[in-house]
C-alpha cells in the first residue's frame, strides 16, 4: 500500500505507459486509456485529463468489473513517471504545469543537459544557470515547481472528478498547500468562505460526491451560513429573520423533484446547532446574524452614545462673532439652515449634515472650519471620505488635507489579517473630524472609525441620505438619521448659483418624482433612443467624443445592471475596443471571455486587504508580465496603477478585476466624474428606481448625458421603491439615551 499526500492509502496500483486514449470527455476530463504494463494491456478509467499518450504513470485506485468491458482499473489519483527520452522531457516541462517554462526554454534545457535534465533540476538546480537566459531566480523557481508538481497534480485530479476548473484548483492549492485534499475531505464547504468566487453549489457537489448525506446537519448548517453571507455581501443585510433564512436555505438544499426533501424543522435544528457555537452565528430574538456584523452594529451604537456625551458650552457673543467673521472670509452670508448646522457642529459631539447637490454642504464644512479655528486656535482638524476621489474633492473644497478613511485610520496588513493603527486603544489626535460621503460607509468601517474618535473630538458626518446605501452591509447614515438621537440638519434649499446647473435642478426633480427640465444648451441632456442596439451605439459615439474632451479617467458610463445588450458587461467589451484599441506597444492578456490590455481602465470588485485595494477602486493596467519573460514573477501578472501605486494581480486573482469603462451605479458611489453617461433601457426594468437614477445623475460634475428610452426614464423617476435592508441600528440607538 502507498500513502499519497492528502489521500488515504490504496490497496491497488498499476504502472505502465499510456498506449492510446480510447475516450476523453473534454468538459469533465473523464478518460478511458489503454495502458501497456508488465501484466500486458489494461484499461484505465477516471478523471485523468492530463494523461497523454506515451506518458508513463503510476495509477492509484481499485480494480472493478464492467459488465461490457470486463476487468478495468478505476483510478482516482496518479503520479507521472518522469520520461527518459529527450522529447518526452521537453513535453513534460512544457506542459504548462511548470511556471516560467515554455517549449522554447524546455528545448534549450534539454539540448544542454540531455536526458539528465530532470535529475539536474531536482538535485543540482544551480546548474540551470549554465543555460543562456536562465538566472538564479528562474532556476530556483523551476526546481521548486517541479518538486511541488506532484501535490498540484494530485489535487487537480481529485478536483477534476468533481468538475472543478484548473484555475480554481490552483487557487485552492495556493490557499491550503499540501493539506488541500485533506481539508476538502474534512469540510468542503470551507471553499465558500476561503476562496473568492466559489458558491455553495460547487462545494455542495463536492461534499455530496464525498459521501455527505443530503439531510446531514453539517450540510444544512453550511447552507444556512452561505445564505447569511450572501445576504450580507450581495444585499447589504446585517441579519436575516428566521423565517426568511429557513426559506432561502430550503431553496438551496432542495432540488425540485427529489424524493424526501429537507424540511423546515431540519433546517431550524441545524440553525439551533449553529447558534450554540456563537462563533458562527448569533441569534437575537428571531434574527440570525453573522457575529462580526452583530458586534459591529452594537459597537456603532455604543460609540455614538459615547461621543454624544461630549456637548460643549460656548458664549453666544463669541460664537456669533466667529460666524460673522467666517462669512466675511468666505464672502457670503449663511442661510439659516447653514448657520444652524455650523452651530450644531461647534456645540454637539456628533452632528449629521444631509442634503442633495447645491444645498450648501461644502459651504457649511468650510464655515465650520473657519469658526472653530477662530474659537480654538491650534485646532487639530482631520478630513476623510470613503474613496480617494471623494477625499480629493473634499480637500479641493476646503483647502485642507483630506484622506480616505482607511488611510486616516492607518490601515496595515498583519499576519492575522487587516489592522488599524488608530483604534480604541490608540485614538486619533484630533479636535474636529469631518467625514464626507458618509452614505457610502458600511457598518464595519463605521465601527472601526468611531472607535478611533476621541470623546473630546467633534464629529461631523456629511452625506446624502437619498443616495443608494453603502456597497457593504448596513444603512448607517439612514439609520442614524431615523433614530432621531443624533442632532441632524437636513438641507433642502438649493442656492442660486447651483440653480444655474441643470444637473442640480434635475437631481432634485428626480428625487421629488418630477419630470426633467431640458434646454438646448446646458450641462444636462437626454438623448432618446428606444432600440437597445441604437442606445449602445449612441453611448459608444458619445463616449469617444467625451473622452477626447475630458480624458478617459474623467468620463464614466453608468448602467443599472451587468446583463443584457445595454448592460455593463457588453458595454465594457465594446468601449474597450473604441477607447483603448489594439496598437503598437500594447500588450494583451486573454482572460475568460475577454482580455485585458495595457492602458485599460479597470476596477476592483472585492476588498483585498493584502493589496490595500478596496471594492470599487479604479485604476489602469500599467503592464502585463508573463512568467516566460520575467523570472521575478510566479505567474502571469498584471500591474495595476491605483492612484500612482502599482499593485500586482496574478492570473489566479484576475477575477477580482473588471473593466471599468462602464460601471454599475452602485460601484460608482462616492466618485465624481467630469462627465457621466447614464444608460436607460427597459431591459433593466426592475432595477429602474428613483434613488438609483438620482445617485447616478449626482456623479456628474460638469456634464450628464442620459441615453435611452423615454419609458425607462419615466419608470425610474416614478418608481420610489427603496430596497430596505435588514438592520437594527436605528432601534439600538432609540433604545439608548445620552444619559446612559
Amino acid at each position: 500500500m502507498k500513502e499519497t499526500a492528502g489521500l488515504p492509502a490504496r490497496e491497488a496500483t498499476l504502472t505502465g505507459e499510456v498506449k492510446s486514449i480510447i475516450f476523453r470527455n473534454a468538459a469533465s476530463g473523464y478518460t478511458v486509456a489503454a495502458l501497456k504494463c508488465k501484466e500486458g494491456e489494461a484499461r484505465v478509467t477516471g478523471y485523468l485529463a492530463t494523461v497523454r499518450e506515451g506518458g508513463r504513470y503510476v495509477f492509484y485506485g481499485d480494480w472493478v468489473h464492467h459488465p461490457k468491458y470486463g476487468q478495468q482499473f478505476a483510478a482516482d489519483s496518479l503520479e507521472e513517471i518522469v520520461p527518459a527520452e529527450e522529447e518526452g522531457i521537453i513535453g513534460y516541462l512544457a506542459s504548462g504545469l511548470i511556471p516560467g517554462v515554455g517549449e522554447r526554454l524546455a528545448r534549450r534545457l534539454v539540448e544542454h543537459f540531455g536526458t539528465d535534465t530532470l535529475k539536474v533540476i531536482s538535485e543540482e538546480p544551480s546548474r540551470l544557470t549554465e543555460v543562456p537566459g536562465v538566472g538564479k531566480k528562474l532556476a530556483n523557481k523551476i526546481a521548486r515547481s517541479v518538486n511541488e508538481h506532484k501535490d498540484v497534480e494530485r489535487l487537480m485530479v481529485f478536483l477534476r472528478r468533481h468538475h472543478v476548473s484548473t484555475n480554481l484548483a490552483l487557487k485552492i492549492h495556493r490557499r491550503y498547500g499540501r493539506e488541500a485534499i485533506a481539508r476538502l475531505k474534512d469540510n468542503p464547504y470551507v471553499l465558500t468562505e476561503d476562496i473568492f468566487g466559489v458558491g455553495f453549489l460547487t462545494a455542495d457537489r463536492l461534499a455530496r460526491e464525498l459521501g455527505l448525506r443530503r439531510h446531514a446537519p453539517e450540510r444544512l448548517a453550511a447552507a444556512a451560513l452561505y445564505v447569511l453571507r450572501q445576504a450580507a455581501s450581495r444585499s447589504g443585510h446585517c441579519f436575516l429573520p428566521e423565517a426568511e433564512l429557513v426559506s432561502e436555505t430550503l431553496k438551496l438544499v432542495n432540488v425540485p423533484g427529489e424524493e424526501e426533501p429537507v424540511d423546515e424543522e431540519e433546517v431550524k435544528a441545524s440553525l439551533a446547532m449553529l447558534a450554540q457555537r456563537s462563533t458562527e452565528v448569533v441569534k437575537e430574538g428571531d434574527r440570525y446574524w453573522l457575529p462580526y456584523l452583530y458586534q459591529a452594529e452594537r459597537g456603532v451604537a455604543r460609540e455614538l452614545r459615547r461621543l454624544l456625551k461630549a456637548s460643549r458650552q460656548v458664549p453666544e457673543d463669541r460664537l456669533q462673532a466667529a460666524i460673522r467673521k467666517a462669512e466675511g472670509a468666505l464672502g457670503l452670508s449663511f442661510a439659516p439652515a447653514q448657520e444652524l448646522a455650523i452651530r450644531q457642529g461647534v456645540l454637539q459631539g456628533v452632528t449629521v449634515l444631509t442634503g442633495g447637490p447645491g444645498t450648501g454642504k461644502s459651504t457649511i464644512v468650510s464655515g465650520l472650519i473657519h469658526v472653530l479655528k477662530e474659537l480654538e486656535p491650534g485646532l487639530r482638524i482631520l478630513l476623510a471620505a470613503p474613496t480617494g476621489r471623494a477625499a480629493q474633492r473634499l480637500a479641493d473644497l476646503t483647502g485642507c488635507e483630506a484622506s480616505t478613511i482607511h488611510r486616516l485610520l492607518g490601515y496595515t496588513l498583519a499576519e492575522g489579517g487587516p489592522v488599524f493603527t488608530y483604534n480604541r486603544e490608540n485614538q486619533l489626535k484630533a479636535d474636529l473630524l469631518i467625514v464626507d460621503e458618509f452614505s457610502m460607509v458600511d457598518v464595519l468601517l463605521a465601527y472601526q472609525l468611531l472607535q478611533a474618535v476621541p470623546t473630546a473630538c467633534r464629529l461631523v458626518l456629511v452625506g446624502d441620505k437619498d443616495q443608494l446605501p453603502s456597497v457593504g452591509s448596513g444603512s448607517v447614515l439612514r439609520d442614524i438619521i431615523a433614530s432621531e438621537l443624533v442632532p441632524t440638519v437636513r438641507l433642502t434649499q438649493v442656492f442660486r448659483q447651483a440653480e444655474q446647473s441643470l444637473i442640480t435642478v434635475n437631481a432634485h426633480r428626480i428625487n421629488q418624482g418630477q419630470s426633467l427640465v431640458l434646454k438646448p444648451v446646458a450641462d444636462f441632456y437626454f438623448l432618446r433612443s428606444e432600440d437597445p442596439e441604437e442606445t449602445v451605439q449612441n453611448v459608444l459615439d458619445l463616449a469617444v467624443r467625451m473622452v477626447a474632451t475630458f480624458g478617459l479617467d474623467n468620463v464614466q458610463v453608468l448602467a443599472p445592471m451587468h446583463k443584457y445588450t445595454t448592460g455593463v458587461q457588453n458595454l465594457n467589451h465594446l468601449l474597450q475596443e473604441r477607447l483603448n484599441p489594439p496598437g503598437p506597444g500594447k500588450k494583451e492578456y486573454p482572460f475568460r471571455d475577454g482580455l485585458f490590455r495595457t492602458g485599460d481602465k479597470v476596477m476592483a470588485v472585492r476588498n483585498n486587504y493584502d493589496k490595500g485595494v478596496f471594492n470599487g477602486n479604479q485604476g489602469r493596467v500599467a503592464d502585463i508580465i508573463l512568467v516566460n519573460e520575467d523570472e521575478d514573477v510566479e505567474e502571469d501578472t498584471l500591474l495595476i496603477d491605483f492612484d500612482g501605486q502599482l499593485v500586482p494581480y496574478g492570473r489566479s486573482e484576475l477575477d477580482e478585476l473588471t473593466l471599468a469603462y462602464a460601471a454599475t451605479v452602485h460601484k460608482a458611489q462616492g466618485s465624481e466624474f467630469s462627465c457621466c453617461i447614464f444608460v436607460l433601457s427597459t431591459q433593466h426594468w426592475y432595477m429602474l428606481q428613483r434613488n438609483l437614477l438620482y445617485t447616478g445623475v449626482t456623479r456628474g460634475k460638469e456634464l450628464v448625458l442620459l441615453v435611452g428610452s423615454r419609458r425607462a426614464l419615466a419608470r425610474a423617476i416614478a418608481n420610489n421603491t427603496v430596497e430596505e435592508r435588514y438592520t437594527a441600528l436605528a432601534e439600538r440607538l432609540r433604545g439608548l439615551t445620552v444619559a446612559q
Side-chain angles (χ1 to χ4, degrees):
M1 285 175 33
K2 179 179 177 64
E3 185 77 26
T4 58
L7 289 171
R10 289 290 177 184
E11 294 184 355
T13 62
L14 187 63
T15 303
E17 178 181 332
V18 174
K19 184 179 178 182
S20 64
I21 303 296
I22 300 171
F23 169 80
R24 173 167 287 157
N25 184 308
S28 68
Y30 182 81
T31 301
V32 179
L35 190 73
K36 183 179 179 181
C37 50
K38 65 180 181 180
E39 292 87 353
E41 187 171 311
R43 183 183 291 247
V44 179
T45 66
Y47 292 86
L48 311 169
T50 59
V51 165
R52 55 188 170 78
E53 292 184 3
R56 287 181 54 78
Y57 302 90
V58 179
F59 295 97
Y60 302 94
D62 292 299
W63 288 100
V64 297
H65 182 79
H66 190 280
K68 182 176 180 180
Y69 300 110
Q71 196 81 348
Q72 55 187 28
F73 193 83
D76 60 9
S77 64
L78 61 85
E79 288 184 59
E80 183 168 6
I81 300 172
V82 217
E85 301 81 6
E86 290 187 358
E87 284 302 318
I89 296 173
I90 292 170
Y92 172 72
L93 290 174
S95 65
L97 294 171
I98 314 300
V101 180
E103 186 172 351
R104 284 185 296 177
L105 178 54
R107 193 167 295 280
R108 293 209 314 271
L109 290 168
V110 173
E111 285 174 356
H112 188 85
F113 296 112
T115 56
D116 289 333
T117 300
L118 293 166
K119 182 179 179 182
V120 170
I121 291 173
S122 296
E123 299 177 8
E124 302 176 274
S126 60
R127 288 191 59 200
L128 295 179
T129 58
E130 297 172 13
V131 177
V134 178
K136 185 177 179 180
K137 287 185 179 179
L138 180 57
N140 290 335
K141 182 163 66 174
I142 293 171
R144 185 168 62 251
S145 297
V146 168
N147 290 332
E148 290 177 351
H149 170 63
K150 292 179 181 179
D151 290 331
V152 179
E153 181 65 18
R154 289 176 188 133
L155 177 63
M156 291 174 68
V157 170
F158 172 75
L159 291 174
R160 203 170 285 119
R161 292 202 303 270
H162 309 293
H163 317 291
V164 175
S165 69
T166 299
N167 190 49
L168 179 53
L170 291 173
K171 283 186 179 182
I172 293 170
H173 181 262
R174 287 191 181 90
R175 180 68 174 83
Y176 302 125
R178 299 191 62 166
E179 301 300 316
I181 293 177
R183 289 288 301 274
L184 296 181
K185 286 189 170 185
D186 178 59
N187 179 14
Y189 296 106
V190 295
L191 292 177
T192 64
E193 186 172 8
D194 293 346
I195 309 294
F196 178 66
V198 176
F200 177 81
L201 295 181
T202 298
D204 192 48
R205 183 171 59 242
L206 180 57
R208 297 283 300 279
E209 292 180 4
L210 289 172
L212 191 68
R213 295 180 299 107
R214 286 180 54 241
H215 295 260
E218 297 86 352
R219 177 177 182 251
L220 306 186
L225 273 174
Y226 181 76
V227 169
L228 271 179
R229 293 188 189 116
Q230 291 296 99
S233 62
R234 292 192 174 183
S235 303
H237 297 308
C238 287
F239 68 86
L240 283 181
E242 182 178 67
E244 187 167 335
L245 178 55
V246 170
S247 172
E248 292 301 314
T249 302
L250 286 171
K251 291 177 186 177
L252 199 58
V253 298
N254 284 329
V255 176
E258 261 186 339
E259 294 182 3
E260 298 183 9
V262 174
D263 63 36
E264 184 177 311
E265 292 307 314
E266 290 177 279
V267 174
K268 287 183 177 179
S270 295
L271 285 172
M273 177 186 74
L274 276 175
Q276 288 176 354
R277 301 174 187 170
S278 74
T279 56
E280 294 180 279
V281 299
V282 174
K283 187 174 189 292
E284 185 184 51
D286 69 340
R287 300 168 175 179
Y288 283 88
W289 304 69
L290 294 170
Y292 68 93
L293 291 174
Y294 180 72
Q295 296 300 333
E297 192 181 86
R298 293 180 71 204
V300 168
R302 183 177 61 249
E303 297 302 326
L304 282 171
R305 177 177 59 171
R306 172 179 63 85
L307 294 169
L308 283 166
K309 291 178 181 178
S311 59
R312 281 84 175 170
Q313 298 295 325
V314 178
E316 176 60 21
D317 57 341
R318 290 194 63 213
L319 181 54
Q320 277 279 7
I323 292 173
R324 302 287 83 84
K325 190 169 183 178
E327 288 179 325
L330 295 173
L332 50 78
S333 295
F334 296 126
Q338 290 178 316
E339 183 168 332
L340 173 62
I342 291 171
R343 286 176 171 275
Q344 295 276 36
V346 171
L347 301 173
Q348 301 295 333
V350 184
T351 301
V352 170
L353 181 62
T354 184
T359 55
K361 295 192 297 293
S362 58
T363 299
I364 294 170
V365 169
S366 297
L368 177 61
I369 291 171
H370 276 82
V371 168
L372 280 172
K373 280 185 174 180
E374 177 67 20
L375 293 172
E376 300 177 17
L379 184 81
R380 297 170 298 178
I381 301 171
L382 293 176
L383 305 179
T387 67
R389 279 179 175 266
Q392 184 58 54
R393 186 171 69 249
L394 183 59
D396 294 341
L397 289 171
T398 61
C400 300
E401 184 179 347
S403 69
T404 65
I405 296 173
H406 283 90
R407 191 172 297 120
L408 174 78
L409 296 177
Y411 158 82
T412 56
L413 187 72
E415 187 174 336
V419 296
F420 294 90
T421 302
Y422 294 100
N423 48 47
R424 184 182 290 116
E425 285 71 37
N426 180 36
Q427 293 182 321
L428 295 163
K429 309 300 186 288
D431 303 303
L432 171 66
L433 171 60
I434 299 173
V435 185
D436 198 9
E437 294 285 358
F438 196 72
S439 63
M440 283 188 65
V441 178
D442 62 36
V443 70
L444 293 175
L445 187 55
Y447 182 39
Q448 293 292 345
L449 175 67
L450 294 175
Q451 289 180 88
V453 180
T455 304
C457 175
R458 298 172 175 89
L459 176 63
V460 178
L461 306 176
V462 184
D464 187 343
K465 69 178 182 64
D466 294 317
Q467 288 186 17
L468 292 171
S470 58
V471 175
S473 298
S475 295
V476 181
L477 179 63
R478 288 183 189 176
D479 284 352
I480 290 174
I481 294 171
S483 74
E484 300 184 343
L485 178 72
V486 179
T488 299
V489 178
R490 295 171 174 84
L491 304 171
T492 57
Q493 180 184 351
V494 178
F495 291 91
R496 184 174 301 170
Q497 62 271 28
E499 287 179 337
Q500 298 172 3
S501 165
L502 281 190
I503 296 176
T504 300
V505 170
N506 283 324
H508 284 275
R509 291 184 70 84
I510 289 167
N511 206 23
Q512 293 160 13
Q514 300 173 352
S515 59
L516 302 178
V517 172
L518 300 172
K519 296 179 181 178
V521 179
D523 57 3
F524 190 106
Y525 296 91
F526 173 51
L527 178 61
R528 183 179 179 183
S529 53
E530 298 296 334
D531 178 68
E533 295 289 348
E534 182 186 1
T535 296
V536 168
Q537 191 57 53
N538 287 336
V539 168
L540 297 178
D541 293 341
L542 285 170
V544 171
R545 289 168 53 193
M546 295 304 105
V547 166
T549 302
F550 295 104
L552 180 59
D553 292 332
N554 296 315
V555 175
Q556 186 63 57
V557 175
L558 298 174
M561 296 175 65
H562 288 279
K563 298 192 300 181
Y564 307 115
T565 307
T566 53
V568 166
Q569 188 172 353
N570 183 53
L571 287 170
N572 265 323
H573 171 70
L574 298 173
L575 287 164
Q576 181 189 45
E577 295 309 304
R578 292 288 294 272
L579 300 177
N580 187 32
K586 288 188 179 179
K587 300 178 182 178
E588 294 183 347
Y589 193 81
F591 185 69
R592 293 189 174 170
D593 297 329
L595 58 85
F596 290 107
R597 184 178 292 138
T598 49
D600 272 340
K601 186 178 180 181
V602 295
M603 176 187 292
V605 295
R606 71 173 295 230
N607 292 337
N608 189 318
Y609 290 98
D610 291 342
K611 300 179 185 296
V613 176
F614 303 97
N615 194 348
N617 286 173
Q618 288 195 10
R620 300 282 287 274
V621 178
D623 199 3
I624 298 171
I625 305 170
L626 305 180
V627 289
N628 60 355
E629 297 174 351
D630 191 322
E631 62 184 46
D632 290 326
V633 297
E634 294 290 332
E635 60 179 326
D636 295 345
T637 299
L638 270 62
L639 286 181
I640 311 299
D641 184 345
F642 287 107
D643 295 325
Q645 180 182 2
L646 290 179
V647 181
Y649 278 81
R651 177 177 176 80
S652 62
E653 301 171 308
L654 292 185
D655 53 5
E656 298 182 21
L657 297 174
T658 185
L659 294 174
Y661 300 100
T664 62
V665 180
H666 288 81
K667 293 293 187 183
Q669 285 176 263
S671 295
E672 197 174 65
F673 304 90
S674 298
C675 173
C676 278
I677 303 172
F678 194 109
V679 184
L680 285 163
S681 171
T682 53
Q683 290 182 330
H684 302 152
W685 188 257
Y686 81 91
M687 284 291 292
L688 293 172
Q689 297 169 348
R690 186 182 299 174
N691 65 343
L692 183 133
L693 178 59
Y694 173 77
T695 303
V697 164
T698 54
R699 299 309 91 204
K701 183 167 57 175
E702 298 178 44
L703 183 62
V704 170
L705 303 167
L706 304 185
V707 185
S709 159
R710 186 181 297 277
R711 184 164 169 250
L713 174 61
R715 157 76 176 180
I717 293 174
N719 182 14
N720 197 28
T721 303
V722 176
E723 189 174 335
E724 296 295 337
R725 295 182 168 185
Y726 289 122
T727 67
L729 179 58
E731 295 174 24
R732 296 189 196 283
L733 288 170
R734 288 190 196 106
L736 302 173
T737 64
V738 177
Q740 284 182 307

